[in-house]
């Protein structure tokens, strides 16, 4: 890398730069060449890195799957306890063909999305309040911190009593799980906004509202997105709990179903689908975050 | 007209940072504050900017008492303090939120050219060098066309070359609209190159110790005899204020 930067420094007028840090190479460069050179350089680089990181992520899972399949076929794993990946795939395929799969995935997704939405909304309101206003913080935060220390699953009996065993109690449980990580990240994000940037806002006489959306909001966004991702992963955790405690549909129901009917392939299929859906939804949030936070100057800023 | 009238500042912890500072600054004048670290220079600028309030006395701008940041006063902090999520141009437009977009664009483009940063209009702060970032910060203040521009060690973190270039830039920009400049520096030559008047402060509590007028025509030659004489005087004054070790660098 040092080699590349050096060569481009020596010949500032020569073609696109290969250096890894466009900003670093800029100092010694002509202003006119900077824009074009740095931009194409960065694009080519990130594409290359993107491809490579994709491959690297897949190596281990695919290797394990192949090993698992082989060992199953050789009879090392008893099929009534650990069926082969091909059997699991066939099970998923069967569920999909009968239309059941869409129904189970649909209802589980519905619960997660709704619970996540409700939890996030509440957390955003409370987090914004306690983060921004010291008075609200003194009144609300101790109570919320105390509630946080109740293991979320301990709410289950109460929710069932209050809200019945149907959707409402499930969504409520998921919302409680989502609430705390979002709340904590948002609150501390707001509290940690750089006072120096807030002063800049004051110098330019921003109103309270303008200050919030022009300084506090963008400055808090990174922490908020971390909170959302943590919240979402807890949402997936709690949907399983909610569906285990009594449901006739959903991926969590499939787990119980597989257990009671002695079909491990169903259980594994359900686990696999949880993994896929969890990863997928998290990737969506991550991609959104990356788009919104392109300005960040971080170690891994692609 | 900027009138600092008998300003004292005592912080909540009882520390007196400034005591009885009185200073009258004419429109278009360039005044520099020098003095050891901790003698209250930043505090004084922050009071003039309306970010901090004096315990006694007050600051008048055109006979109006300052109780909050004034629309005609700009402040350039010691660090650039750019919004990392905005591009250079958007940062420069940060203070123009009340103007319609075309007018904002027109003004920011004009200022970008003045600080020679037009090719970087769409760069993000993390892509800038320290000197460039500081120029953006200056541009962000200039674009609001302040009558009074306060600069807190604006070139403090920069190397001697960049510093000299930015001093020239600053004078060039001052030449356009002739705003009042009140700046803080640790650099004796910088004070002499820029100012009409140099205010020496001494610490504990921060007080005006001595005032030096610089009547040399601009642009000033650092090697000229008069310049060197004034430098001697200034160093001597600062020495008496107990500040010499921190200031005699070159
Ligand atoms: N908020 C505060 N509370 C208490 N004391 C403070 C506060 N802000 C500044 N001070 C004190 O006031 C004194 C003057 O601070 P100030 O920042 O104005 O110094 P300065 O002259 O700008 O120094 P430097 O050259 O190092 O920037 C310092 O001794 C500092 O400790
Ligand atoms: Mg200071």
């Amino acid at each position: 890398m040092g080699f590349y930067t050096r060569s481009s420094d020596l010949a500032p007028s020569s073609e696109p730069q290969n250096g890894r840090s466009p900003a670093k190479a800029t100092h010694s460069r002509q202003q006119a060449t900077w824009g074009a050179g740095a931009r194409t350089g960065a694009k080519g680089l990130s594409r290359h890195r993107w491809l490579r990181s994709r491959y690297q992520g897949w190596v281990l899972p695919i290797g394990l799957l192949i090993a698992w399949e082989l060992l199953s076929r050789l009879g090392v794993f008893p099929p009534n306890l650990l069926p082969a990946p091909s059997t699991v795939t066939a099970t998923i395929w069967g569920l999909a063909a009968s239309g059941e799969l869409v129904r189970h995935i649909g209802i589980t997704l519905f619960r997660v999305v709704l619970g996540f939405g409700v939890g996030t909304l509440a957390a955003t309101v409370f987090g914004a309040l306690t983060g921004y206003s010291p008075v609200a913080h003194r009144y609300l935060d101790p109570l919320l911190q105390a509630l946080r220390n109740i293991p979320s699953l301990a709410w289950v009996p109460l929710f069932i009593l209050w809200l019945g065993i149907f959707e409402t109690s499930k969504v409520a449980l998921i919302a409680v799980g989502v609430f705390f990580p979002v709340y904590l990240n948002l609150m501390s994000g707001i509290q940690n906004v750089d006072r120096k940037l807030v002063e800049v806002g004051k110098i330019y006489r921003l109103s309270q509202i303008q200050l919030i959306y022009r300084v506090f909001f963008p400055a808090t966004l990174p922490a908020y997105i971390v909170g959302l991702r943590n919240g979402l992963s807890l949402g997936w955790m709690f949907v399983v709990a909610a569906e285990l405690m009594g449901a006739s549909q959903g991926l969590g129901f499939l787990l119980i179903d597989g257990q009671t009917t002695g079909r491990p392939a169903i259980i594994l299929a359900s686990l696999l689908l949880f993994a896929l859906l969890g990863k997928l939804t998290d990737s969506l949030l991550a991609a959104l975050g990356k788009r919104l936070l392109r300005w960040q100057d971080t170690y891994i800023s692609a | 007209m900027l009138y600092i009238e008998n300003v004292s500042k005592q912080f909540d912890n009882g520390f007196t940072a400034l005591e009885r500072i009185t200073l009258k600054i004419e429109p278009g004048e360039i005044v520099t504050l020098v003095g050891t670290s901790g003698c209250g220079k930043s505090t004084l600028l922050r009071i003039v900017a309306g970010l901090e309030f004096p315990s006694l006395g007050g600051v008048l701008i055109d006979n109006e008492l300052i109780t909050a940041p004034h629309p005609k006063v700009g402040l350039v902090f010691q660090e650039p303090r750019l919004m990392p999520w905005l591009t250079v141009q958007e940062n420069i437009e940060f203070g123009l939120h009340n103007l319609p977009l075309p007018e904002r664009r027109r003004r920011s483009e004009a200022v970008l050219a003045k600080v020679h940063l037009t090719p970087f209009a769409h760069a993000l702060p993390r892509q800038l060098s320290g000197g460039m970032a500081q120029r953006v910060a200056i541009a962000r203040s200039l674009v609001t066309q302040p009558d009074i521009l306060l600069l807190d060690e604006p070139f403090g973190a920069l190397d001697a070359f960049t510093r000299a270039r930015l001093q020239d830039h600053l004078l060039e920009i001052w030449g356009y609209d002739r705003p009042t400049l009140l700046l803080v520096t640790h650099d004796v030559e910088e004070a002499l190159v820029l100012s009409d008047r140099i205010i020496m402060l001494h610490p504990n509590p921060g007080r005006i110790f001595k005032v030096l007028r610089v009547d040399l025509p601009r642009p000033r030659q650092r090697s000229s005899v008069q310049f060197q004489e004034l430098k001697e005087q200034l160093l001597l004054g600062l020495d008496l204020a107990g500040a010499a070790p921190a200031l005699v660098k070159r």
Side-chain angles (χ1 to χ4, degrees):
Chain A
M1 162 196 176
F3 173 74
Y4 285 127
T5 338
R6 178 182 277 268
S7 70
S8 65
D9 276 351
L10 286 176
S13 59
S14 82
E15 260 306 285
Q17 80 181 66
N18 298 311
R20 287 217 172 181
S21 56
K24 212 189 227 166
T26 320
H27 299 288
S28 53
R29 264 166 179 267
Q30 294 290 313
Q31 296 188 336
T33 52
W34 182 82
R39 209 154 286 163
T40 54
K43 213 171 235 167
L45 178 74
S46 70
R47 174 149 202 88
H48 176 68
R49 205 191 266 169
W50 180 81
L51 276 174
R52 221 177 44 194
S53 67
R54 270 302 135 108
Y55 287 133
Q56 286 169 344
W58 282 107
V59 170
L60 209 54
I62 289 179
L64 284 175
L65 275 178
I66 293 174
W68 177 5
E69 180 77 35
L70 282 176
L71 290 174
S72 297
R73 299 221 169 170
L74 292 173
V76 179
F77 299 144
N80 63 330
L81 292 180
L82 186 61
S86 53
T87 319
V88 176
T89 317
T91 309
I92 294 180
W93 205 245
L95 285 170
S98 71
E100 266 182 87
L101 188 67
V102 177
R103 203 160 44 95
H104 290 306
I105 290 182
I107 189 75
T108 297
L109 257 182
F110 165 78
R111 286 166 184 152
V112 172
V113 169
L114 195 62
F116 180 71
V118 172
T120 298
L121 193 71
T124 305
V125 171
F126 282 104
L129 266 176
T130 56
Y132 192 68
S133 150
V135 177
H137 188 267
R138 283 197 295 274
Y139 274 102
L140 287 171
D141 192 58
L143 174 66
L144 289 170
Q145 296 292 350
L147 291 178
R148 186 169 74 97
N149 284 311
I150 301 174
S152 302
L153 290 181
W155 291 103
V156 168
L158 203 58
F159 282 168
I160 290 181
L161 209 59
W162 283 349
L163 305 168
I165 57 165
F166 297 111
E167 295 311 313
T168 326
S169 61
K170 294 187 174 56
V171 171
L173 181 64
I174 296 166
V176 168
V178 170
F179 179 86
F180 289 104
V182 178
Y183 168 77
L184 284 178
N185 277 286
L186 180 58
M187 177 189 70
S188 68
I190 294 175
Q191 287 179 334
N192 289 325
V193 169
D194 193 349
R195 185 182 53 80
K196 294 180 168 178
L197 295 185
V198 179
E199 274 185 359
V200 173
K202 292 200 171 136
I203 279 288
Y204 291 105
R205 299 162 11 102
L206 300 192
S207 67
Q208 202 71 240
I209 299 287
Q210 288 170 328
L211 203 59
I212 287 174
Y213 82 79
R214 297 193 57 202
V215 179
F216 278 93
F217 179 72
T220 309
L221 207 52
Y224 188 55
I225 285 176
V226 170
L228 289 182
R229 288 179 69 181
N230 288 344
L232 186 64
S233 81
L234 279 187
W236 281 105
M237 202 166 119
F238 282 94
V239 79
V240 177
E243 291 181 342
L244 285 180
M245 80 197 189
S248 53
Q249 288 175 36
L251 293 175
F253 162 75
L254 279 185
L255 290 174
I256 294 284
D257 194 39
Q259 184 203 341
T260 47
T261 58
R263 287 182 298 173
I266 294 260
I267 298 179
L268 285 170
S270 170
L271 291 183
L272 191 69
L273 289 168
F274 270 122
L276 284 178
L277 287 174
K279 177 73 187 138
L280 191 75
T281 47
D282 182 61
S283 300
L284 283 178
L285 269 187
L288 178 75
K290 208 165 181 179
R291 245 194 103 76
L292 293 175
L293 303 177
R294 245 187 300 223
W295 50 269
Q296 272 191 316
D297 192 9
T298 48
Y299 173 54
I300 309 184
S301 51
Chain B
M1 169 87 128
L2 168 61
Y3 190 19
I4 300 170
E5 156 93 50
N6 203 20
V7 162
S8 299
K9 174 71 186 179
Q10 187 168 29
F11 283 107
D12 294 337
N13 61 4
F15 180 82
T16 306
L18 294 170
E19 198 170 73
R20 293 171 173 271
I21 305 283
T22 297
L23 202 56
K24 229 179 208 171
I25 301 176
E26 302 294 332
E29 202 182 355
I30 305 182
V31 175
T32 306
L33 302 171
V34 296
T36 27
S37 185
C39 68
K41 306 179 296 290
S42 298
T43 307
L44 186 57
L45 285 200
R46 290 169 60 81
I47 288 173
V48 175
L51 287 178
E52 205 102 53
F53 302 100
S55 323
L56 280 176
V59 175
L60 296 170
I61 290 172
D62 298 331
N63 292 322
E64 197 187 317
L65 186 70
I66 294 298
T67 52
H70 188 282
K72 280 290 161 196
V73 177
L75 172 60
V76 178
F77 297 92
Q78 190 166 347
E79 331 79 42
R81 299 200 186 184
L82 305 179
M83 303 294 153
W85 51 86
L86 299 180
T87 63
V88 165
Q89 185 161 16
E90 289 164 343
N91 262 295
I92 290 176
E93 291 172 5
F94 187 81
L96 300 179
H97 46 99
N98 294 326
L99 294 179
L101 186 69
E103 172 68 6
R104 249 187 292 171
R105 282 287 123 87
R106 200 185 57 71
R107 284 223 216 164
S108 63
E109 270 155 26
V111 171
L112 270 167
K114 278 189 201 168
V115 294
H116 308 286
L117 281 173
T118 307
F120 298 91
H122 304 295
L124 285 167
R126 67 179 159 97
Q127 297 168 311
L128 304 177
S129 72
M132 286 154 72
Q134 196 55 286
R135 261 144 71 202
V136 176
I138 292 173
R140 179 175 62 185
S141 276
L142 286 175
V143 80
T144 61
Q145 301 175 346
D147 291 341
I148 299 173
L149 185 54
L150 311 169
L151 302 113
D152 194 352
E153 295 184 48
F155 316 131
L158 308 176
D159 64 273
F161 273 134
T162 319
R163 183 182 271 239
R165 236 196 21 243
L166 290 192
Q167 288 162 7
D168 291 343
H169 274 328
L170 186 63
L171 284 176
E172 180 190 330
I173 286 157
W174 175 75
Y176 291 112
D177 300 325
R178 302 246 161 178
T180 307
L181 299 184
L182 176 58
L183 57 121
V184 169
T185 180
H186 271 299
D187 183 331
V188 175
E189 292 208 1
E190 180 167 288
L192 287 168
V193 166
L194 297 175
S195 348
D196 296 310
R197 236 184 329 156
I198 300 173
I199 315 290
M200 293 178 241
L201 299 173
H202 77 87
N204 290 324
R207 273 179 132 155
I208 295 183
F209 171 74
K210 199 170 170 210
V211 177
L212 187 71
R213 278 204 170 274
V214 186
D215 284 327
L216 305 177
R218 295 190 178 92
R220 291 172 180 161
Q221 300 303 319
R222 289 167 200 247
S223 51
S224 75
V225 180
Q226 296 102 310
F227 192 94
Q228 291 302 324
E229 273 175 14
L230 282 167
K231 188 174 166 185
E232 288 301 314
Q233 274 189 46
L234 185 53
L235 286 173
L236 187 69
L238 288 167
D239 203 3
L240 290 175
L247 282 136
V248 187
K249 274 186 297 196
R250 25 190 94 200

